[in-house]
Amino acid sequence: MIEDFRLNLTPSQPAPYSHDVVVSLCKRGEVAKAIRLLKQNGQAMEQWTEIIQLGLKKLFVSRRINELLSLVFKYGLACPYEIQDLLRDLFRHGDIPGFLKQAHRFAVCDGLESEIDAAIEWLRQHGQRDGASAYRDKFDALRQGAAPGTLSLTPREVKRPSPPARPRHQ
């Protein structure tokens, strides 16, 4: 008979934190880890704004722009840089899928039309035709005023050949 090991488990405790640990994480650019640590210990994010901004700047200097944008979006952080400029940097550094994802996530298409078109064409040229057409539809909807994430793409009708007729037994 197998014994239930779950009875011997102890609940995990939040990781110990101190001001120095959070500052160290942010200085290394580990902002997500620092935010999780703060939340686990019930700390208010508003008290740590300056230190978190320091971490965001480290991400920018380290060219971890996609990560920076994800954190800004996920946690609603104030971004010390213009979103359009960050998106242009993503595009220039060749992170085409990240550029498209973040541009759609932040609903930014004004002023980035040529970059968006070039990125969609890049997807198409690299064999990602479905992704390219999906992003084309998403950005067309954004240009028409739809909020990101509200576009409901209906599956395209697939025409399959009908099965061969079965011989009838009489």
Side-chain angles (χ1 to χ4, degrees):
M1 173 184 228
I2 299 176
E3 290 184 36
D4 190 359
F5 68 91
R6 293 174 290 184
L7 299 174
N8 299 328
L9 295 177
T10 58
S12 63
Q13 299 295 319
Y17 93 101
S18 69
H19 183 271
D20 295 337
V21 171
V22 174
V23 171
S24 173
L25 287 171
C26 287
K27 281 184 178 179
R28 291 191 316 246
E30 297 181 42
V31 181
K33 196 178 283 186
I35 290 173
R36 280 194 308 271
L37 185 63
L38 291 171
K39 286 188 171 202
Q40 286 174 350
N41 288 283
Q43 295 292 311
M45 298 267 293
E46 295 79 26
Q47 298 170 346
W48 298 89
T49 304
E50 286 182 32
I51 295 168
I52 290 172
Q53 292 295 313
L54 178 75
L56 294 178
K57 289 177 183 174
K58 171 64 177 172
L59 290 174
F60 178 76
V61 170
S62 302
R63 290 189 178 174
R64 293 163 53 192
I65 298 168
N66 203 356
E67 187 178 347
L68 187 155
L69 287 168
S70 292
L71 289 169
V72 166
F73 184 80
K74 182 176 181 179
Y75 295 110
L77 302 174
C79 186
Y81 308 100
E82 289 294 322
I83 299 295
Q84 275 194 342
D85 294 338
L86 293 173
L87 290 169
R88 279 195 184 91
D89 282 349
L90 267 181
F91 181 77
R92 272 192 298 255
H93 294 309
D95 186 358
I96 302 303
F99 165 75
L100 288 169
K101 177 182 178 179
Q102 298 293 356
H104 180 257
R105 179 183 267 182
F106 284 98
V108 176
C109 37
D110 293 336
L112 293 174
E113 292 87 357
S114 62
E115 288 93 342
I116 290 170
D117 292 338
I120 291 172
E121 184 57 33
W122 183 90
L123 287 179
R124 193 169 277 116
Q125 290 173 356
H126 285 81
Q128 299 179 29
R129 297 192 191 298
D130 292 339
S133 65
Y135 272 117
R136 171 60 55 214
D137 293 343
K138 289 176 182 182
F139 281 106
D140 286 347
L142 277 178
R143 288 180 183 126
Q144 294 171 4
T150 59
L151 177 63
S152 118
L153 297 174
T154 56
R156 295 192 171 102
E157 186 176 323
V158 178
K159 295 184 181 180
R160 294 188 174 99
S162 55
R166 293 183 182 174
R168 291 189 177 177
H169 298 289
Q170 293 181 343

